[in-house]
Amino acid sequence: MSDPGVLSFTHQGWEQVLAKVKRALVYLDAACAESLHWGCGSTRLLEAVGGPACHLREFEPTAVGGGAEQPKAVFVLSCLLKGRTVETLRDIICRSHFQYCVVVTAVNHAVHLTANHVPAAAAAELEGQQPVFEQLEEKLCEWMGNMNYTAEVLHVPLLLAPAAPHLALTPAFASLFPLLPRDVHLLNSARPDKRRLGSLGEVDATALPPELLLQIRCLVSGLSSLCEHLGVREECFAVGSLSRIIAADLANYAPAKNRRKTAAGRASVVFVDRTLDLTGAVGHHGDNLVEKMLSVLPQLPGHTNDVMVNMVELTALHTEEENWNAVAPGCLAQSSDMAGKALWEALLNTKHKEAVMEVRRHLVEAASRENLPIKMSMGRVTPGQLTTYIQLFKNNLKALVNHCGLLQLGLATVQTLKHPHTAKWDNFLAFERLLLQSVGESTMSVVLSQLLPMIKPSHQRTKDDYCPEELLILLIYIYSVSGEFTADKNLGEAEENVKKTLAQVFCEESELSPLLQKITGCDSSINLTFHKSKIAMDELFTSLRDVAGARNLMKQFKSVYVPGNHTHQASYKPLLKQVVEEIFHPEKPDPVDIEHMSSGLTDLLKTGFSMFMKVSRPHPSDHPLLIFFVVGGVTVSEAKMIKDLVPSLKPGTQVCEYVCVCM
């Protein structure tokens, strides 16, 4: 096996699952399917199952059960074995003819004890025992109809979907997002007056609802398993309020104590709240082809981090839209295709222009190896040129099979370059640069006034105008990059004008997108009144004010905006870049906003003595392995920025390895 990393961690987990699936019906939930998709691919699972038929099914209440000729089932689940999940298990098993059931959960037994309200002291006494899993095994036999049938329940940490050696995703936690100031009011509604919270800075684990605490503990369980695989004892650091709670939970995670005592390596795990810098999430400054693919191509159903690639171009079907669903879509993940995987990682790590040239190079080399009649052309790469190369493979089944991964990425490139939204990318970038200049020179009311003429109803919009969703992206950009601002006398009026205009535009949409349906609470524009739309806008602008104030509690990372001067225009400086630069500051000062989470009495004493004596406090740059966890998601450009920045800031020493994990 290769050196321990996110890829080997995921492969090791799936190998444990694959050892159980021979001749079985396999049910997967969406998050585990996504981990498989990026980790080793469904082909590997089908090979392990064996047999001519497809035995993969989605884990859902209406899933088809197993017939008399299908006596074995394996359920691969990302969540706690509790509540609706157990009910779905029961329903599927009761309508089947199973005699052997295996249930794999990505959440370890210690978290199941917590979920079942077992006190920490009692849980410690149960070390090595798994009563929750044993009870479920009895239930499985009962549902199968014979207590002599075989049932197994086991934990396998299927936390990650590894997109690259430096970038892993956590699809089971796609809904986990940092708190905003308005959430304090919701938390206070469940607290007595004397214990009311004043700000996000006062929020700790005891203030969170039980469901959120359990979700955090499930995540911590997976991260602890990752650290165990890497063979490291971790020091936990946090930037942001929810990150602080997650980091503290990992630092004090009781099942990890024995592991940490014997760990040979050391690592720093730095959690960062996404809400501290939403500018990076919605901006168009990232010059990366993959980022554009993820932005413009339709989402792959059931997935949070992959897209559909139209493969009709490689068939005998006409390319009209009605034929698109006749052929299974391609995708970006190429876990079982080595050539496709190499190209994918190249696309992640290069700028747009170089990435397109890399796609052409790979296509030309593949066509040459297959002795296809390729005509070389130099200069600028065009979608038409790439399409010509791709179509050379069309009637050659052997070449199609040999280079399927490469062709999927090639078609994804063509479809992205030709997509009308890609043409607007530069328009977004130009307007964002204009906004950066305005933010420094004008009040927020003036900035909003610049946006107002761009808000147009559908019957007035051209292909170059912004649709409602795009306008919301620009609003998030404006409020996030501005940060805390002084409310001038015209701000209320300016916001009200934007709210009313947007509310009217929403009402006049012929069809509401899923995002607009969620914001307005209406599934159709027919049911959307101006009053409902305006209420939704009031809520939206309350959230935007919270986005602007997200960094209020920061002392050092208070701004992502760099004002212009005589030689440089105003610019945006990503918060993640600021965090990395602070970690590797040559003078290694004590970080102000990067909080260290103590994991016991020793750490507390060290922190306390450091106030009076020359005792060095733990620092994120102390260890050779650095793991970033961005709570709420990270962009491809941000992951690349960290990957490039770390070696440049630490010349002449061991380059810090790191994992940039997002959801």
Side-chain angles (χ1 to χ4, degrees), residues 488-506:
D488 62 282
K489 61 179 181 180
N490 299 319
L491 179 60
E493 183 183 348
E495 283 189 334
E496 197 62 28
N497 288 338
V498 172
K499 283 193 260 185
K500 286 179 179 176
T501 310
L502 266 177
Q504 189 60 46
V505 165
F506 283 13

Side-chain angles (χ1 to χ4, degrees), residues 506 512 515-523 528 532-533 536:
F506 283 13
L512 295 179
L515 177 62
L516 296 189
Q517 288 178 31
K518 191 170 183 180
I519 289 171
T520 60
C522 287
D523 57 0
L528 182 59
K532 284 182 183 176
S533 188

Side-chain angles (χ1 to χ4, degrees), residues 554-559 578 582 590-594:
M554 296 286 108
K555 298 179 178 68
Q556 186 176 6
F557 306 135
K558 215 163 180 63
S559 177
Q578 296 180 47
E582 178 61 22
D590 280 345
V592 179
D593 288 330
I594 307 173

Side-chain angles (χ1 to χ4, degrees), residues 320-334:
E320 283 80 9
E321 191 170 338
E322 59 265 24
N323 290 325
W324 290 2
N325 293 329
V327 179
C331 60
L332 301 181
Q334 302 301 329

Side-chain angles (χ1 to χ4, degrees), residues 57-78:
R57 292 179 184 170
E58 184 179 357
F59 180 77
E60 59 177 358
T62 57
V64 177
E69 73 289 354
Q70 296 165 317
K72 182 181 177 184
V74 177
F75 299 86
V76 189
L77 309 174
S78 62

